[in-house]
Amino acid sequence: DIVMTQSPDSLAVSLGERATINCKSSQSIFYSSNNKNYLAWYQQKPGQPPKLLIYWASTRESGVPDRFSGSGSGTDFTLTISSLQAEDVAIYYCQQYYSTPQSFGQGTKLEIK
Amino acid sequence: EVQLVESGGGLVQPGGSLRLSCAASGFTFSSFWMSWVRQAPGKGLERVANIRRDGSEKYYVDSVKGRFTISRDNAQNSLYLQMNSLRADDTAVYHCARVGPGSATGNWYFDLWGRGTLVTVSS
C-alpha cells in the first residue's frame, strides 16, 4: 500500500502571506503512459465535509480561487496558497489515487498567525 | 443545488447492524461512480466502498469485505451502505462522496462530499 505523509502537521501563517504544505508518497504516483500524477488535494473546514481543491496534482477544481495551486511530480508534491485569507483556515489533505487502496495523508492544520 | 445528504447513523452495539443512506440531488446521479469514505474521530480519511454507475461493480477496502455491502437505486437517486458485524474500529463519520468524472476504475478521487453521518459502535 502507498503511504502518504504530509508536512508539517500544523502551520500558522500571517494573512496575506504564502502558505506551503508538502505531501510525499512512499512510491511514485506518476503514470508515464498518460503523463499524469494521481494526486488530489482537499480542504476541510470545521464542521464541513472535505472539498476538492486540486486533482491530477495541479488541475484546479472549478470555482476554487486561483490563489490555490498544486505542483510536484513522482513522489513529492506541494499545495501553495499564495496569499492567505481568513477563510482558508482548515485542515488540508492530500490523496493518491494511483492504486487501490487509495490513501490520504494525515492532514495539515492551517491557522492564522 | 448539487448536494449529498447522509442519514441512518447512530449508536449500535458491537456485532450489530446499521444501514446508511445518501440522497443525491442537483446532478445526474446515474452518471457517476459513488463511494463511502469514513473519518474516525481525530483520524484521517479512509475510502470504504465504491460502486459503478449501474451498480454492476463494487469494491471494498479489505477491513470491511464480507461485512459491508454498498448498493444504489438510480431511480431514487440514492446510495446505501449496509453494515453488519460492526466493530469498535468502525466508529467514524461516514461520508457519501461522488467520484470525480476523470477517474478510471481503481483510480478514484472525490469531487463532491456530503456532511456525513456518525456511526458509533460501543456497548
Side-chain angles (χ1 to χ4, degrees):
Chain A
D1 296 0
I2 297 177
V3 177
M4 306 300 289
T5 304
Q6 291 180 229
S7 61
D9 289 334
S10 63
L11 179 64
V13 175
S14 300
L15 289 173
E17 296 299 306
R18 178 185 301 260
T20 301
I21 298 170
N22 301 301
C23 176
K24 187 175 183 67
S25 57
S26 60
Q27 65 185 74
S28 177
I29 55 174
F30 175 73
Y31 252 123
S32 57
S33 60
N34 60 7
N35 201 37
K36 288 183 182 290
N37 288 284
Y38 284 59
L39 184 100
W41 287 99
Y42 301 89
Q43 173 194 65
Q44 187 173 27
K45 297 181 179 180
Q48 295 188 21
K51 173 188 175 183
L52 177 66
L53 297 176
I54 303 281
Y55 55 101
W56 301 126
S58 60
T59 301
R60 198 179 303 114
E61 173 73 337
S62 175
V64 172
D66 60 7
R67 64 180 180 273
F68 290 91
S69 64
S71 62
S73 184
T75 61
D76 293 281
F77 301 89
T78 300
L79 175 69
T80 301
I81 307 172
S82 60
S83 177
L84 189 70
Q85 306 299 304
E87 62 264 31
D88 300 335
V89 169
I91 299 175
Y92 292 84
Y93 295 95
C94 61
Q95 178 222 345
Q96 68 80 16
Y97 49 101
Y98 178 89
S99 67
T100 299
Q102 294 77 33
S103 46
F104 294 83
Q106 81 276 17
T108 294
K109 187 174 185 179
L110 177 59
E111 300 173 313
I112 305 295
K113 184 186 292 183
Chain B
E1 182 184 1
V2 177
Q3 64 177 357
L4 300 167
V5 179
E6 303 89 340
S7 61
L11 174 64
V12 61
Q13 292 187 339
S17 298
L18 215 52
R19 189 191 195 213
L20 306 183
S21 299
C22 169
S25 59
F27 65 97
T28 305
F29 180 71
S30 60
S31 295
F32 292 87
W33 284 70
M34 295 296 297
S35 181
W36 288 97
V37 181
R38 67 185 177 185
Q39 188 168 25
K43 299 287 182 64
L45 295 155
E46 179 182 45
R47 180 195 66 85
V48 172
N50 273 46
I51 187 167
R52 189 185 170 88
R53 288 176 286 271
D54 61 359
S56 61
E57 296 179 41
K58 303 174 184 182
Y59 299 88
Y60 301 92
V61 68
D62 285 348
S63 60
V64 308
K65 282 179 182 176
R67 300 188 300 122
F68 289 12
T69 302
I70 188 171
S71 63
R72 66 191 296 163
D73 183 340
N74 287 343
Q76 297 294 322
N77 293 328
S78 294
L79 179 72
Y80 305 100
L81 186 67
Q82 176 67 43
M83 303 186 296
N84 299 329
S85 303
L86 281 160
R87 311 185 305 219
D89 61 358
D90 294 318
T91 295
V93 173
Y94 284 73
H95 297 278
C96 172
R98 188 177 75 180
V99 172
S103 300
T105 300
N107 307 119
W108 301 299
Y109 66 94
F110 310 103
D111 71 342
L112 178 67
W113 299 64
R115 288 185 174 272
T117 186
L118 176 62
V119 173
T120 303
V121 184
S122 175
S123 54

